[in-house]
Amino acid sequence: MTPPNFPIRRPLEVMAIDDAKSWRAGLITLWRMTRIAWLTPWQVTFALVATLFSATMQLIIPRLLGRAIDQTQLFASDPAAAKSALMATAVLVLIVSALRGVFTTFQNYFSEAVNHHSGVELRLRFYEQVQRLSYGFHDSVHSGDLITLGLLDVDGARQYFSTGLNRLVLLTILIGFGGVMLLRIDPVLGLMSLSFVPIVGWSSSIAQLRLRLTWRDLQDRMSVLSRVMEENLGGIRVVRAFYAGAHEQEKFDKASDSALDLAHERVDIRVRSTGIMTLSFLVAMGLVLWVGGAKVMAGQMSVGTLTAFLTFMTILQMPVRQLGLLVNSFARTSTCGARVFAFLDLDPAIADAPDAKVLTLTDGVLRFENVDFAYPSAPATKVISNLSFTAARGQTIGLIGPPGSGKSTLSHLIPRFYDVTGGRITLDGQDIRGVTLASLRNAVSVVAQDVFLFTTTLENNIAYADPWAAPDQIEQASQHAQIHAHISGLSRTYRTIVGERGASLSGGQKQRVAIARSLMPNPAVLVFDDSTAAVDANTEARIRTALQKGAADRVTLIVAHRLNSLLHADRILFLDKGHVIEQGTHAELLALRGRYRALYDLQTHGSDREAAQ
Amino acid sequence: MIDQTAVEQDYQSDRESAPGAPTLRAVVGSHRIEEEMFGRVFDPQIIRRIGAFVRPYRRQFVISVVAVLVFTVTQLAIPMIIRRAIDKGVMVGPAGMPVLYQSLVAFGIVIALNFVASHVQETVVGKAAENVLFDIRRAMFAHLQRVSLSFMDKTEVGRLMSRLQGDVGSMQEFLETSVLSVGDIVLLFGIITLMLYLDPGLGLITLSVLPVLFVVRIFWLPMARDAFIKAHETNSAVNGALAEGIHAVRTVQAMGRETLNAQLYDAKVQANLATHLWAAKLAQILVPVVDTLTGLAMSLVVVLGGSMVLDHRLDVGVMVAFLFYIQRFFDPIRSLTIQYSVMQRAMASGQRLIEVLDVAISIQDQPGAVDLPETDGSVEFRQVSFGYEPNQLVLQDISFRVEPGQTVALVGPTGSGKSSAMALIHRFYDVTEGAVLVGGHDVRQVTQASLGRQIAMVLQEPFLFTGTILDNIRYNKDSASRDDIIAAATALGADPFIRALPQGYDTMLGERGGSLSTGQRQLLSFARALVADARILVLDEATASIDSATEQVIQRALAILLRGRTGLVIAHRLATVRHADKIMVLQAGRLVESGTHAELLREAGLYAGLYRANYASFDDVG
């Protein structure tokens, strides 16, 4: 139903998971979930003990009621003794009922608590894993799918204890002990009153499994419908501009009808199963009444025993219907759990080496030594090959080249967003793969192309890398990034909420906030990855001047496609297909009359010439 | 837009700060302000409006109610049959055999009725409820296609989506359970009546425990609901934080915030746990009360009923029937209180659904509107003033004429009214004063559909739909053949990159064409406009960074797209501006300058100033 995403894959594919799991893998998942539940051993124990007692109390009640009925019959000759016996039974009924209530409460509460604790554990592990996995992984999955995994699948797996394990114990006691008890009282009648159990169990299990399967399908169809609605609302201007209301309604109807059909089908599955369940239960009850009634008439059985049988059946009815839910729970846990664990088990491609040291900065020299690189998703295509250069503290290096030349990629290698596939990158002689990620990324700041601002205040955004920063530090960074004046003009200044649902900033303003953010940790290597494209030339020049003061203490790398941004660089590298094909200062490169010169001519005079024609 | 003050207070409460001490400026997950979950129990206005959607299915609902009644009666009948079988059959001895058989036959009939009734009721009501909710959603969707664009601009897509999904969903829950409530009420009163009928004295005494439960539940309900809402809110906080963590993972790693974020997330998860445990406690607290009351009622029957049986004042079968009824009579009370909450939630949702359905449709075809005939493609503004709010004009007294085939560039700082002016040509809004004429016809005098066919529009942010490249270019021009589409793409220079994709023109595009570059997406939206083949083209030029090579392709494509058409371009790039036949400079809603590039430079006004300052684009000015 859902179209495959091109070329991004679903996380499940990336992790090589499919739902048709082997039994063994399913059992391993259940075992791992059991161990997570056991992280709260006391709650698990309380829940199981409470379940044992509440089930026992449930089983006692029909017997007490049956005894009460018999007491009204057997002691007819001695009413006074019979009445005191009845009183004793009544007191027992009251006590046992109250205890059943208390134990049921504990059973439900503690098994819910275990679920929630398991959920906490899974959520925390999931969140940490999201943060731990490297860029390469996140490039390969659709973020929406990852969110689904973290919400729906985690939620499906966390309910394992109460809906699966604990319910299994409860049903085993009720059906097992209860069945044995009935069979011992009267084998024939016992068999009859239990005859509905396999039918109901089977029918409800089948229905639940089918509902489970169609549920995923329904989710898919509903997500197609949501997508149609969401795209319609998000692209409403396009829809209106093309007067495509009818076309959109058609798309909506198609998606909506397909979901509705399946919703109807699911109603049928559910109804068919509940019908069979109720029918078989009532037929069994009729049989018990028939055969039991005849036995009472024949004096082979007391009317109290018959009542006990009938009451017992009504008590057993609900748990037996839950057999299907139990099957569903195990199926859900093993599929949802398998997905979640497969994700949690992934090793990050980039992590601290076992003997990683904290980066020590002395001279602040960045060196690329014969660096090769290919993306993990396309290992055969070298994006950078045999690239070497050295940049000393205080220097500004410009990187330019056509799309796909590897200039942005290069900037992602320095903070180890990806690891080089050949050669090495060093900072003051230390291979960056030999130092801790925390110390490396603290020393290297990249201002990215696409700015992600968090939906929170401007000060929280700017202080992102250094949340304990003092207000004047934040202000200083903003001044350097030429955004302070704009922020001061806002009614709530640095307390203004920005981001997805906050106050709107223009593209240039967002980029300037991102620059301020990158200045906060006072990096030794500062990389601008095409991050001033939406900033006008004058403001960009002012930013450059402001940064000049700090520039003596760091290496600055500027990736750009607007030459204006690079003119002042100490050295410019012109990249093509991962190679440096020209390098030098602006003047040297112009004199070379090569690719750089051609680009320069195009950008400065190209449009003028065209206009003149 | 969100309420800044309210959100900020949220953030403030999240952090602890002592004066003078360094403050931690960090949160994970943004706060969404939750909408009211519960409304009044009964709001005739809402019932009436939602009722309109139920009306087409009233037959189904009547059938369901009848089936529910039959079903309830069969449930009530079973203990009565057992009672008769025991008292008049079993207890009489062998002579009672015929009564036992009669009872069994009756039992059989009841089983059959029960089966049919439950089948009918669940199928019919289940499907009808689904139908109603899909109808409501469809009506809302259709309505949203017609409401004013300014409403759509002001409203978050996410909020509308939650109405189209969440609120519609809780209406469904309500519709399904409302039929069941009828059954529950009948069951409750049926049990009470039958107990009183079987033995008024014993019945009254047994039923005396009922009010206790009612009172307990009434005190319990607000507390439980409060806990439920809190748990729900902390859920969305945790989920929001996870979603943010996933979307922002690159920034988080680049800035080294993993450890702190994990701590902040942990705090949210623990808060969520606490609210859930409290809600679980409240949910369970009533179980022992109900069980004890059931036990009390049963022991009363055992002692009093049993004594009466001993004294031959009561048949033993009646006592058995009482025990059966007692085990059932707390069920309807429980489900009725659940349905009370469902109903409140449905009222709150219904209110929000109606709000959407009631958003005014501001732009409609006038009575007697005619189809716009094939025009020459001229566009004229006659003393146009316009404001989204009547007292805040964003355009004032604008007059100009664009001759057929001309290209006009609109230039001006952000907020100068360029986009608003363009929207008026399409009649997305109606002018406050003056008139907009297309091909000499006032746009208010013609049908919107015919106007739409003559104007194509390309937006600044190219918007692509999930679907193939082919679908995206064709969009709603169903008459466009595959060859037409390929021809359009080829003319614009998009063909090479499309063919390089794995399935060429049949390649599926993911979320909003995410796998393509901005330039490529822009070319596809050009192709869409070219296939639409309208006389007039309105274009909001993209400002996003596009590398020089792609920019040249785009500029060439633009020239081809504009050939033979009237073009109105909101220009951001100097290259486009210089090619225009006429440049109009807007500032604060007024047309301050117009003329060719050379003329405006000579005039030495705003345009010349902007141009000389060497701005790459005109947006970031001011």
Side-chain angles (χ1 to χ4, degrees), chain A residues 374-601:
Chain A
Y375 279 100
S377 51
T381 320
K382 271 194 188 174
V383 184
I384 289 176
S385 50
N386 199 26
L387 189 136
S388 301
F389 72 90
T390 306
R393 176 179 287 169
Q395 279 191 329
T396 298
I397 308 289
L399 293 160
I400 196 156
S405 59
K407 54 188 193 302
S408 273
T409 305
L410 186 152
S411 71
H412 288 169
L413 297 180
I414 307 170
R416 282 189 78 199
F417 294 156
Y418 304 91
D419 268 343
V420 298
T421 44
R424 61 179 203 147
I425 300 171
T426 61
L427 264 172
D428 283 340
Q430 304 151 84
D431 188 324
I432 56 170
R433 285 168 296 187
V435 300
T436 62
L437 276 176
S439 63
L440 176 68
R441 288 180 181 168
N442 191 38
V444 180
S445 257
V446 178
V447 192
Q449 230 162 8
D450 299 319
V451 179
F452 186 98
L453 291 186
F454 295 86
T455 307
T456 175
T457 59
L458 274 166
E459 57 178 6
N460 283 0
N461 267 295
I462 295 171
Y464 198 75
D466 184 7
W468 293 102
D472 54 327
Q473 283 175 275
I474 296 173
E475 212 176 292
Q476 200 189 3
S478 310
Q479 263 162 356
H480 286 166
Q482 306 301 316
I483 190 69
H484 175 71
H486 178 77
I487 294 176
S488 305
L490 298 171
S491 65
R492 313 189 75 80
T493 66
Y494 283 89
R495 293 268 170 96
T496 310
I497 314 271
V498 291
E500 220 186 328
R501 292 189 292 278
S504 51
L505 298 175
S506 77
Q509 287 159 351
K510 278 186 203 158
Q511 290 193 328
R512 284 183 273 159
V513 172
I515 292 171
R517 177 166 74 185
S518 303
L519 293 175
M520 285 300 291
N522 197 19
V525 178
L526 181 58
V527 185
F528 292 95
D529 181 8
D530 201 7
S531 45
T532 50
V535 178
D536 68 82
N538 285 8
T539 311
E540 191 189 359
R542 286 204 300 274
I543 295 174
R544 207 155 48 223
T545 317
L547 293 185
Q548 220 87 71
K549 282 165 237 153
D553 296 332
R554 65 171 80 101
V555 174
T556 309
L557 254 77
I558 301 177
V559 177
H561 58 248
R562 202 160 68 192
L563 284 179
N564 273 347
S565 316
L566 297 175
L567 299 181
H568 66 291
D570 297 302
R571 195 146 30 100
I572 299 170
L573 310 183
F574 192 106
L575 295 182
D576 192 18
K577 301 195 178 78
H579 296 275
V580 177
I581 53 169
E582 292 172 17
Q583 61 172 309
T585 62
H586 174 64
E588 289 165 5
L589 287 173
L590 281 188
L592 211 60
R593 299 200 161 272
R595 295 279 298 275
Y596 182 86
R597 177 61 183 258
L599 186 68
Y600 178 79
D601 288 344

Side-chain angles (χ1 to χ4, degrees), chain B residues 134-153:
Chain B
F134 275 80
D135 286 354
I136 294 178
R137 190 184 286 131
R138 186 175 193 279
M140 289 169 70
F141 183 82
H143 188 74
L144 287 173
Q145 304 307 306
R146 303 174 63 207
V147 303
S148 86
L149 259 188
S150 44
F151 170 80
M152 300 302 289
D153 293 341

Side-chain angles (χ1 to χ4, degrees), chain A residues 258-489:
Chain A
S258 137
L260 185 60
D261 285 347
L262 191 62
H264 280 178
E265 199 181 304
R266 284 168 53 82
V267 169
D268 284 334
I269 295 174
R270 206 167 45 219
V271 171
R272 210 174 304 140
S273 145
T274 48
I276 290 171
M277 289 196 280
T278 314
L279 188 67
S280 61
F281 169 72
L282 289 178
V283 168
M285 203 172 192
L287 282 175
V288 169
L289 188 62
W290 180 5
V291 175
K295 282 194 172 199
V296 175
M297 275 186 215
Q300 292 164 336
M301 183 190 264
S302 74
V303 67
T305 309
L306 179 61
T307 310
F309 267 98
L310 293 174
T311 321
F312 186 78
M313 285 181 74
T314 39
I315 284 180
L316 210 56
Q317 190 192 1
M318 263 333 278
V320 171
R321 281 171 186 254
Q322 290 180 353
L323 277 172
L325 297 179
L326 182 70
V327 172
N328 187 357
S329 167
F330 282 109
R332 185 180 55 211
T333 308
S334 55
T335 50
C336 294
R339 292 152 189 264
V340 173
F341 286 130
F343 174 73
L344 295 180
D345 292 345
L346 291 173
D347 276 325
I350 292 169
D352 283 349
D355 54 349
K357 295 184 185 61
V358 172
L359 175 72
T360 44
L361 286 168
T362 47
D363 302 327
V365 178
L366 169 73
R367 198 190 298 271
F368 273 57
E369 297 172 18
N370 308 103
V371 168
D372 285 341
F373 178 72
Y375 279 100
S377 51
T381 320
K382 271 194 188 174
V383 184
I384 289 176
S385 50
N386 199 26
L387 189 136
S388 301
F389 72 90
T390 306
R393 176 179 287 169
Q395 279 191 329
T396 298
I397 308 289
L399 293 160
I400 196 156
S405 59
K407 54 188 193 302
S408 273
T409 305
L410 186 152
S411 71
H412 288 169
L413 297 180
I414 307 170
R416 282 189 78 199
F417 294 156
Y418 304 91
D419 268 343
V420 298
T421 44
R424 61 179 203 147
I425 300 171
T426 61
L427 264 172
D428 283 340
Q430 304 151 84
D431 188 324
I432 56 170
R433 285 168 296 187
V435 300
T436 62
L437 276 176
S439 63
L440 176 68
R441 288 180 181 168
N442 191 38
V444 180
S445 257
V446 178
V447 192
Q449 230 162 8
D450 299 319
V451 179
F452 186 98
L453 291 186
F454 295 86
T455 307
T456 175
T457 59
L458 274 166
E459 57 178 6
N460 283 0
N461 267 295
I462 295 171
Y464 198 75
D466 184 7
W468 293 102
D472 54 327
Q473 283 175 275
I474 296 173
E475 212 176 292
Q476 200 189 3
S478 310
Q479 263 162 356
H480 286 166
Q482 306 301 316
I483 190 69
H484 175 71
H486 178 77
I487 294 176
S488 305

Side-chain angles (χ1 to χ4, degrees), chain B residues 469 473 485-501 504-505 516 519-528 553-554 557 560:
Chain B
I469 300 241
I473 298 180
I485 290 163
I486 294 175
T490 310
L492 295 174
D495 187 68
F497 94 79
I498 298 174
R499 286 197 193 277
L501 294 172
Y505 283 85
L516 302 176
Q520 291 170 332
R521 279 183 280 157
Q522 191 62 274
L523 283 178
L524 291 184
S525 73
F526 281 10
R528 185 192 288 156
V553 177
I554 297 259
I560 291 160

Side-chain angles (χ1 to χ4, degrees), chain A residues 3 5-7 69 72-73 82-83 86 90 94 97 100-101 105 108-109 116-117 120 123-124 127 130-131 133 135 138-139 142-143 147 151 225-227 231-233 235 237-244 247-249 251-253 256 260 263-264 268 271 274-275 278-279 282 286 290 293 296-297 307 310-311 403 417 441 452 454-456 459-460 464-465 467-469 471 492 495 497 501 503 506 512 517 533 536 538 561 602-603 607-608, chain B residues 2 4 8 11-12 23-25 30 90-91 97 100-101 104 107 111 114-115 119 122-123 127 130-131 134 138 141-142 144-145 147 152-153 156 161 165 239 244 246-250 252-255 257-258 260-261 265-266 269 272-273 276-277 281 284 287-288 291 295-296 299 302-303 306-307 309-311 316 320 324 327 426 428-429 448 452 457 459 463 465-466 475-476 502 508 510-511 515 528 545-548 552 578 613 615 620:
Chain A
N5 281 302
F6 158 81
I69 299 289
T72 64
Q73 303 299 311
K83 278 179 187 170
L86 277 174
L94 182 58
S97 299
R100 178 180 74 171
T105 295
N108 292 347
Y109 174 74
H116 287 302
H117 282 286
V120 166
R123 286 205 179 106
L124 292 179
Y127 189 84
V130 166
Q131 297 198 117
L133 288 173
Y135 276 41
H138 289 288
D139 293 344
H142 199 299
S143 59
I147 291 174
L151 298 184
L225 180 60
S226 312
R227 211 186 49 221
E231 290 188 348
N232 173 278
L233 300 175
R237 286 181 171 271
V238 175
V239 175
R240 297 288 174 93
F242 284 82
Y243 280 89
H247 175 76
E248 290 289 309
Q249 192 74 51
K251 279 206 294 198
F252 175 89
D253 286 347
S256 174
L260 185 60
H264 280 178
D268 284 334
V271 171
T274 48
T278 314
L279 188 67
L282 289 178
W290 180 5
V296 175
M297 275 186 215
T307 310
L310 293 174
T311 321
F417 294 156
R441 288 180 181 168
F452 186 98
F454 295 86
T455 307
T456 175
E459 57 178 6
N460 283 0
Y464 198 75
W468 293 102
R492 313 189 75 80
R495 293 268 170 96
I497 314 271
R501 292 189 292 278
S506 77
R512 284 183 273 159
R517 177 166 74 185
D536 68 82
N538 285 8
H561 58 248
L602 182 73
Q603 285 197 12
S607 32
D608 278 333
Chain B
I2 48 173
Q4 290 268 345
E8 191 184 319
Y11 285 108
Q12 295 299 324
T23 327
L24 177 63
R25 291 186 173 77
S30 54
V90 174
M91 298 308 286
M97 215 52 171
L100 180 62
Y101 284 126
L104 286 170
F107 202 89
I111 291 172
N114 179 294
F115 180 72
H119 194 278
E122 285 188 48
T123 314
K127 290 185 180 176
E130 296 277 3
N131 284 336
F134 275 80
R138 186 175 193 279
F141 183 82
L144 287 173
Q145 304 307 306
V147 303
M152 300 302 289
D153 293 341
E156 273 175 51
M161 286 299 292
Q165 293 179 308
N239 294 347
E244 183 193 88
I246 290 172
H247 287 307
V249 66
R250 289 174 178 80
V252 171
Q253 291 184 356
M255 300 271 164
R257 269 280 293 263
E258 293 94 328
L260 179 58
N261 282 4
Y265 183 73
D266 187 44
V269 169
N272 179 238
L273 175 67
H276 272 286
L277 290 181
K281 263 181 206 142
Q284 291 305 321
V287 173
D291 276 1
L296 184 62
S299 30
V302 167
V303 170
S307 308
V309 173
L310 282 170
D311 299 344
V316 69
V320 172
F324 271 94
Q327 289 181 43
H426 237 110
F428 285 167
Y429 312 98
Q448 295 176 74
M457 199 172 209
L459 301 170
F463 190 93
F465 296 87
T466 303
Y475 196 45
N476 65 332
M508 287 297 283
E511 253 177 300
S515 44
R528 185 192 288 156
S545 62
I546 293 174
D547 59 85
S548 316
Q552 287 198 311
R578 272 183 292 200
Y615 281 104
D620 218 39

